[in-house]
């Protein structure tokens, strides 16, 4: 061979992963003999457990008074935060403030903690709802829809601090837990935590769960991980690196498109290939969405409550408004009737669904927003992309395979 063609560098051969990715891209598996529901149930039974890494971090939270837990989407930060909250309140009988930034995530946390027996003097919810309730508790029908980020990230916490300093009846929390801490990592919020926490932020008991690298899409002050740790005096830090939410195929998609690396893809859990659907215009997108939903709901009997439509656009601007299906705005309510739900990618941060359909993907240049959207899917991911977005994705794939 070498005598005829010369020296051949075997390191240039595609890996097994490369071959699978290329083959799935050129021709996805259209005729999988295994029903989708069977695949979903199998995947869920493997994923729904804490990894050894998470158990170690949970033990560390008990051993340290102040902790920072870092991890990408899908590594189990919210699961750990909930477990830690339940331990602090039920076993240690502490009064805990459990805060996040996203309203939908807040609703989810409330549902879970109420079912587990939430203590009445604890607080679970968004940091802004806590501040607004404290500042304006005697006022009704207040409208904050016209308020800017400056109000929510600076004015609101500073006004609260001023009131607490003059409020001798305010009772600080024994401990605070902050999920999505990267969204609240400003000087104003750290001063606020100092005011609402027994013994203050320097000596009090707190746990911050954050992803400074990929999910800081809400905060107005960007900060990298190193500076963040310095800002809070380098507390005990635990890093979650193992994705325990997404299947192998979805993890590969995240790594390719959003350039996020995981230490491992848990158990190499196999699912179905990520499906990219190219559409010409909004009417074509709606038509192809209807076809996909018909396949999922009518042929594969996937529950409506297991599907979420996510978009970078609001519903009135998305192509889904031309669909034959009716979509309700997403609500966290475990007892609600089954319905197809829609949410913006931004508002769904911190949550997940078995089936995620990303609509209105017109570019792949907005890495962090795409990362949040892609990583919401547990079992199946369908991406509706324009021709321009399709060409961008192909270039990304070719570039990484040649790199």
């Amino acid at each position: 061979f070498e005598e005829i063609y010369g020296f051949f560098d075997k390191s240039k051969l595609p890996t097994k992963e490369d071959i699978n990715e290329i083959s799935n891209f050129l021709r996805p598996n259209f005729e999988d003999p295994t029903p989708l529901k069977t695949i979903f149930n199998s995947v869920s039974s493997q994923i729904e457990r804490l990894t050894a890494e998470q158990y170690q971090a949970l033990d560390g939270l008990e051993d340290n008074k102040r902790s920072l837990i870092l991890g990408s989407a899908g590594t189990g930060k919210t699961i750990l935060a909930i477990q830690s909250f339940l331990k602090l309140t039920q076993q240690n009988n502490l009064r805990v403030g459990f805060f996040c930034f996203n309203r939908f995530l807040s609703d989810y946390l409330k549902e879970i903690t109420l079912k587990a027996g939430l203590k009445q003097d604890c607080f679970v919810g968004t940091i802004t709802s806590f501040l607004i309730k404290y500042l304006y508790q005697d006022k009704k029908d207040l409208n904050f829809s016209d308020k800017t980020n400056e109000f929510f990230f600076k004015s609101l916490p500073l006004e609260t601090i001023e009131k607490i300093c003059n409020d001798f009846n305010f009772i600080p929390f024994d401990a605070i837990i902050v999920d999505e801490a990267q969204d609240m990592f400003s000087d104003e919020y750290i001063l606020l935590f100092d005011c609402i926490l027994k013994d203050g932020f320097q000596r009090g008991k707190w746990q911050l769960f954050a992803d400074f690298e990929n999910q800081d899409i809400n905060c107005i002050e960007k900060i990298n991980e190193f500076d963040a740790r310095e800002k809070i005096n380098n507390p005990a830090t635990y890093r979650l690196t193992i994705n325990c939410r997404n299947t192998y195929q979805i993890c590969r998609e995240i790594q390719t498109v959003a350039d996020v690396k995981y230490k491992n893809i848990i158990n190499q859990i196999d699912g179905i290939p990520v499906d990219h659907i190219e559409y010409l215009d909004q009417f074509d997108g709606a038509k192809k969405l209807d076809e996909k939903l018909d396949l999922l709901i009518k042929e594969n009997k996937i529950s409506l409550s297991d599907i979420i439509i996510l978009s970078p656009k609001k519903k009135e601007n998305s192509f889904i408004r031309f669909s034959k299906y009716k979509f309700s705005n997403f609500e966290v309510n475990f007892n609600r009737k089954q319905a197809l739900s829609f949410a913006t990618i931004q508002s769904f941060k911190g949550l997940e669904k078995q089936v995620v359909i990303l609509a209105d993907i017109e570019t792949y240049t907005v890495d962090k927003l795409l990362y949040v959207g892609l990583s919401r899917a547990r079992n199946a991911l369908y991406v509706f992309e324009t021709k321009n977005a399709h060409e961008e994705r192909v270039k990304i794939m070719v570039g990484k395979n040649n790199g």
Side-chain angles (χ1 to χ4, degrees), residues 284-300:
D284 186 46
K287 177 187 175 186
K288 290 177 177 176
L289 174 63
D290 290 345
E291 292 170 355
K292 183 60 64 179
L293 288 172
D294 286 343
L295 181 66
L296 290 170
I297 298 166
K298 297 177 181 178
E299 294 189 30
N300 287 282

Side-chain angles (χ1 to χ4, degrees), residues 345-388:
I345 294 174
Q346 298 92 320
S347 67
F348 204 70
K349 185 160 71 77
L351 298 173
E352 61 187 42
K353 278 286 187 180
Q354 300 282 15
V355 180
V356 168
I357 297 176
L358 289 185
D360 307 295
I361 301 304
E362 298 172 355
T363 178
Y364 281 91
T365 58
V366 191
D367 283 4
K368 291 187 177 181
L369 192 61
L370 275 168
Y371 167 75
V372 172
L374 296 168
S375 58
R376 301 307 99 196
R378 285 173 62 86
N379 278 294
L381 176 61
Y382 303 93
V383 183
F384 284 76
E385 59 189 14
T386 61
K387 181 180 180 181
N388 176 68

Side-chain angles (χ1 to χ4, degrees), residues 16 41 66 72 84 127 203 205 212 282 297 323 376:
K16 183 179 179 181
N41 292 336
R66 291 170 292 279
S72 302
S84 183
I127 189 70
R203 294 184 297 143
K205 186 174 183 62
F212 294 101
Q282 293 200 332
I297 298 166
S323 169
R376 301 307 99 196

